Amino acid sequence: MDLYFLPMACSLATRIALNEIGEDAHFVEVDAATKQLVASGADYRDIHPLGLVPVLRTDDGALISENLAVLRHVGQRGDLWPAEQETGLLQWLSFTATELHAGLFAPQFDATASAEVKAHARRRAKPRLDHLQRHLEGRAFLLDGFTVADAFLVTVLNFSRGCAFDLSPWPDVLRYYQRLAKRPSVAAAMAVELPLYVAEQARRPKEGAA
Ligand SMILES: N[C@@H](CCC(=O)N[C@@H](CS)C(=O)NCC(=O)O)C(=O)O
């Protein structure tokens, strides 16, 4: 199994899920700026035309893209996709993908998004986070136990650090994030990817440089 990833991006959720179920994979790093595979220099767009991660290549050679599909595939290899909670899984995975990842955080990291677009996304996120706060009050996980939905949510909430988005107005969301960030599968995934992220940032041409 190959996992194509960008350091500390949403593909981290799949690494967390793999850690959680004790499976290894061949992790293939993509360079965010050039869209080349870091090790070989090959063009990642030959694998995913949009250049997006994650993509999982299964052992029989099938390519799976989109977080929800990749996480379902990995979750079902272990016990992170409980069939009896499938509706809840889809609900929270979709909420995380659309309302938080695409709706709130993607514009914050988009160099072409204006300050007004970024501010609008932040305002629009408030009722979404209120909703998440109400759900997480008194709960350890999104559903009955740790699932791929938690692997995805902790990954996306971690983006708040990179764009100075303050989670403290939602104390149960913040507590959930801080607690899950210490979970061994999550902490180990971050420990591997953080140095790769720092190296990737160092490779990027500095703004204004020739
Ligand atoms: N709809 C996709 C979105 C994935 C996505 O936005 N991936 C980001 C990293 S978090 C990415 O690959 N960004 C690179 C780019 O936009 O060029 C999914 O859920 O898998």
Side-chain angles (χ1 to χ4, degrees), residues 83-202:
E84 71 287 358
Q85 296 182 66
E86 185 160 74
T87 301
L89 279 163
L90 290 169
Q91 178 186 314
W92 287 110
L93 284 165
S94 180
F95 173 84
T96 303
T98 59
E99 306 300 338
L100 299 183
H101 182 202
L104 168 59
F105 290 113
Q108 311 305 321
F109 294 102
D110 183 343
T112 65
S114 67
E116 180 45 37
V117 165
K118 291 179 205 279
H120 173 73
R122 285 174 185 243
R123 282 193 299 274
R124 191 176 170 277
K126 288 186 178 159
R128 275 91 180 149
L129 286 160
D130 292 344
H131 172 61
L132 183 60
Q133 161 71 24
R134 281 191 295 272
H135 181 73
L136 287 176
E137 267 168 21
R139 303 186 72 103
F141 304 107
L142 284 167
L143 300 168
D144 290 347
F146 185 91
T147 67
V148 287
D150 297 295
F152 195 25
L153 182 57
V154 69
T155 295
V156 168
L157 290 176
N158 189 55
F159 296 161
S160 62
R161 300 185 62 194
C163 62
F165 184 87
D166 181 14
L167 291 175
S168 60
W170 301 279
D172 289 279
V173 175
L174 181 60
R175 266 193 291 275
Y176 166 93
Y177 163 67
Q178 289 172 335
R179 190 171 41 77
L180 283 203
K182 291 191 192 124
R183 192 174 169 91
S185 63
V186 180
M190 290 186 180
V192 170
E193 292 204 8
L194 196 54
L196 299 176
Y197 176 76
V198 171
E200 181 220 84
Q201 295 293 308

